[in-house]
Amino acid sequence: MILRALLVLLVAIAAAALTYFGLERVRGAFAIAAVACRAVAWAALGLLLLNVSCPRAPEIVRPLVLLDGSLSMTGAGGRWAEARADALRSGDVRIFGDDRVIADSLPALGRSLLAPALAAASAAGRPVVIVSDGEIEDARDVPADLLARATVRVLARPVVRDLAIKEVTGPARVTAGDTLSLEIELRSSGPPGPDSVAVEVSDGSRRLVRRLVSLARGPRYTLRVPARGMDPGDHLLRIALANAADAEPRTDARLHLVRVTATPGIVVIAAPGDWDSKFLYRTIRDVAQLPVRGYVRLDAERWRSMSDLSAVSADEVRRAAQRADLLVVKGAAAAVASGSGARGVWLWPSGENGDTPIAGDWYLVPGDASPVAGAFLGEPVDSFPPVERVAPVQPAAGDWVALLAQESRRGAQRPVVIGRDDGRVRRVTVSADGLWRWAFRGGSSEQVYRSWVAATTTWLLAGADSARGVARPVRAVVQNGRPVMFEWVAAGPPRETTVTWTGAAARTDTLRFDGAGRAVAWLPVGEYRYRLAAGGAGALAVEVYSDEWLARPVVLAAHEGRPTALPGRTPARDMIWLFAVAVLGLAGEWLARRRLGLR
């Protein structure tokens, strides 16, 4: 900068001297004054025109401190008070963890996400300090260069003994009198403890079952809970370790919401029974989360259960069909299934309507587009075993076709799997007999059969549920610090709706759905009943448990930041006094020229 300034000054002096001593040809003291004033003015204007800069002392900028606000900071051995005090001493504090904004009095965030907060803080151009226990969930997504510039202080938790219920899975619905199977996963950390632990399942104040499980068997266990004595309705079950005696009691209990219904969610009726109905019933039981009941008619009047062939009455079959969510009808069982309120109906006609099935070797190929097309994607469906018979059906306007049949791979193609959605009820019709061969053969054809049954069941059950309303929770039980997420299930585009909460907290929120049809609500720990203004109600819970309570690997390493910012510089146009020098120089030159008799 100094060299450029000297060059500008020399050029200005030379130009001014040439003007007065060479062109104007004036001499004397006033001529020298005029040359000096012009040189000063032109030098100032040259510096402003080139906008040269000079270094300045670095400014003292208060750091931006990212304080870990996840629940792990107050877990067993957590050092939240120490971390908060350090952060307040170091600079301006910002809490990170998830996308919520909370006060820094206590950590309440259910996740430890650093990458978004670090990217936003780095864009401010201020020094960044990270204060955390080092148990970061998205460490792989954190840019290494941004992390290197920031100062990281790790206040790790000590290792303590903890036995936790990591996960509980089970059906969301069971039929009254059935047995509920719950899969639990235990996790042990820290010093070893007892070889066994007692697990209790309770419904409110009533204990349903108590089992002693051996920890040497592995992390996963199955608990069978009888639903006898549980009234129809929603039941929030508590699965707890009875004698864990560890350092973190908040991981010793989990919740599972189950709805007990008088009739099963999926009912399969076959009249008469055949191989298709047998394989379909078994596959639905394997892929569906809802309770499944199957009924088969072996002669003119007698009905039997598909599970154990025990005799059942026609009235029991009719009641189950009327209250099912998904009704599967195979053969001539339409009379028993009449009057059903199911929101999904899966029909397998076999010529009962007067259409004679056509026997032959019918090979199937996928249709152009359907909601279940993903089950056949990339699979050689036309090489799978052929079906035995095809009944003539004609798709109506608005129907989709999932599978087409072609006899001996020649001739015209006939639709054999057709679906439609009329707003309240979704229907799928299968007019082919012999699809059981796909499952019987095994290999890729069996997997495609299972995928197709699962996809069809899912689509049929995705119709509007008058009991749940226009939206329903994605999960009935969420962890502490996580949002309750609703998904829009009604027809038409999502729209705002009001939800009223009762239970642990009484309040009203507005659900605003995004482009994917999902909305979130944040609730404190507790049990809740909700009611949607647009229709629908239900139960859900926010449990005390959080994955943040569990000890996780420390993935951050403490280090001092390496700032890469260049030294500060002040441009010439920010120097106001240069403008004043230029003006004074021109004014002084004007006075000198007047004394010289020049204009």
Side-chain angles (χ1 to χ4, degrees):
M1 185 272 181
I2 297 177
L3 183 60
R4 296 177 66 183
L6 289 176
L7 182 60
V8 170
L9 181 60
L10 291 176
V11 172
I13 292 173
L18 178 62
T19 301
Y20 279 99
F21 297 148
L23 298 179
E24 300 286 354
R25 296 183 181 278
V26 293
R27 300 290 186 272
F30 288 108
I32 296 174
V35 169
C37 289
R38 175 169 287 192
V40 170
W42 281 6
L45 292 174
L47 293 174
L48 292 172
L49 182 63
L50 297 176
N51 196 30
V52 297
S53 60
C54 62
R56 65 170 183 265
E59 298 180 5
I60 299 177
V61 180
R62 187 169 171 82
L64 196 59
V65 182
L66 300 181
L67 175 60
D68 192 345
S70 61
L71 290 169
S72 64
M73 297 295 291
T74 55
R79 302 162 65 182
W80 166 252
E82 183 181 349
R84 183 171 180 268
D86 186 8
L88 292 175
R89 288 193 304 266
S90 301
D92 298 331
V93 178
R94 301 291 185 272
I95 303 294
F96 76 89
D98 56 29
D99 54 358
R100 279 190 298 166
V101 178
I102 64 169
D104 59 354
S105 57
L106 281 177
L109 303 180
R111 304 190 70 179
S112 300
L113 303 177
L114 174 61
L118 181 58
S122 300
R126 298 167 59 180
V128 178
V129 178
I130 302 172
V131 181
S132 170
D133 57 9
E135 301 175 13
I136 301 302
E137 182 178 340
D138 61 343
R140 294 184 178 180
D141 299 329
V142 177
D145 56 335
L146 298 185
L147 190 61
R149 297 176 195 171
T151 297
V152 179
R153 298 172 187 164
V154 178
L155 288 77
R157 295 191 287 175
V159 178
V160 296
R161 190 178 72 83
D162 180 39
L163 181 61
I165 303 179
K166 179 69 171 59
E167 186 179 6
V168 174
T169 57
R173 290 179 56 168
V174 295
T175 306
D178 286 350
T179 298
L180 170 65
S181 294
L182 296 177
E183 296 285 339
I184 67 170
E185 179 182 349
L186 301 182
R187 173 180 168 179
S188 178
S189 60
D195 295 333
S196 62
V197 64
V199 181
E200 295 181 350
V201 181
S202 57
D203 179 15
S205 59
R206 184 165 63 100
R207 189 171 71 185
L208 300 178
V209 68
R210 178 186 173 98
R211 295 286 185 271
L212 188 66
V213 298
S214 173
L215 300 179
R217 290 176 46 201
R220 302 193 69 88
Y221 306 87
T222 300
L223 296 178
R224 302 195 180 279
V225 183
R228 297 186 302 273
M230 298 174 64
D231 298 330
D234 293 322
H235 294 261
L236 187 63
L237 305 182
R238 185 175 185 267
I239 302 92
L241 304 178
N243 55 349
D246 53 21
E248 184 53 86
R250 289 169 292 190
T251 62
D252 295 347
R254 301 298 302 270
L255 301 178
H256 181 76
L257 186 66
V258 61
R259 168 167 287 191
V260 179
T261 58
T263 55
I266 302 177
V267 175
V268 180
I269 302 177
D274 57 9
W275 288 104
D276 270 321
S277 61
K278 181 178 182 179
F279 276 88
L280 179 64
Y281 170 71
R282 289 182 176 179
T283 305
I284 291 179
R285 287 184 57 180
D286 290 341
V287 302
Q289 290 292 325
L290 293 177
V292 183
R293 289 282 179 86
Y295 303 96
V296 58
R297 192 175 66 189
L298 299 180
D299 52 33
E301 295 295 334
R302 291 188 301 171
W303 289 89
R304 294 185 179 275
S305 171
M306 284 188 175
S307 60
D308 56 7
L309 293 181
S310 59
V312 294
S313 65
D315 290 339
E316 181 180 344
V317 177
R318 187 176 294 106
R319 287 194 302 269
Q322 290 174 350
R323 302 185 62 177
D325 287 326
L326 170 58
L327 179 61
V328 183
V329 180
K330 179 70 172 73
V336 179
S338 62
S340 173
R343 66 180 189 269
V345 178
W346 196 348
L347 300 175
W348 290 62
S350 300
E352 294 80 14
N353 298 326
D355 299 325
T356 303
I358 305 173
D361 289 335
W362 295 89
Y363 291 86
L364 305 185
V365 294
D368 292 336
S370 70
V372 299
F376 313 114
L377 190 63
E379 298 291 344
V381 177
D382 57 347
S383 298
F384 292 167
V387 298
E388 302 168 310
R389 288 179 296 276
V390 169
V393 292
Q394 187 62 35
D399 290 358
W400 51 261
V401 178
L403 288 173
L404 300 162
Q406 192 176 32
E407 187 175 10
S408 300
R409 299 192 179 95
R410 297 189 299 272
Q413 294 180 339
R414 297 174 179 267
V416 293
V417 177
I418 301 171
R420 69 176 299 125
D421 183 359
D422 60 10
R424 194 193 71 83
V425 179
R426 292 186 172 186
R427 300 179 184 274
V428 172
T429 301
V430 179
S431 62
D433 290 335
L435 277 167
W436 63 271
R437 293 179 172 182
W438 288 15
F440 182 78
R441 182 178 182 178
S444 60
S445 64
E446 181 186 14
Q447 296 306 315
V448 170
Y449 181 83
R450 291 173 61 88
S451 298
W452 169 64
V453 171
T456 305
T457 302
T458 300
W459 184 80
L460 287 169
L461 289 171
D465 187 349
S466 58
R468 294 299 185 185
V470 297
R472 61 188 175 198
V474 176
R475 293 182 179 274
V477 176
V478 298
Q479 296 182 19
N480 187 0
R482 299 288 183 92
V484 176
M485 183 173 295
F486 283 82
E487 61 179 355
W488 184 265
V489 295
R495 59 182 183 273
E496 290 186 1
T497 186
T498 302
V499 56
T500 302
W501 306 97
T502 56
R507 71 185 201 190
T508 300
D509 291 330
T510 300
L511 297 179
R512 295 179 173 87
F513 295 88
D514 58 17
R518 294 198 168 188
V520 299
W522 297 91
L523 298 173
V525 173
E527 303 175 21
Y528 298 89
R529 298 286 304 182
Y530 70 88
R531 181 170 296 278
L532 301 174
L540 52 84
V542 180
E543 57 185 348
V544 175
Y545 173 90
S546 171
D547 286 340
E548 291 290 326
W549 303 131
L550 302 178
R552 294 179 294 180
V554 176
V555 295
L556 287 184
H559 66 265
E560 289 297 322
R562 299 194 301 270
T564 59
L566 297 175
R569 303 186 68 87
T570 302
R573 293 172 189 173
D574 288 349
M575 304 176 187
I576 304 299
W577 58 270
L578 278 179
F579 292 92
V581 168
V583 172
L584 292 176
L586 293 174
E589 182 188 5
W590 180 79
L591 292 175
R593 288 179 65 86
R594 296 285 297 189
R595 291 290 185 176
L596 292 172
L598 301 175
R599 292 184 177 181

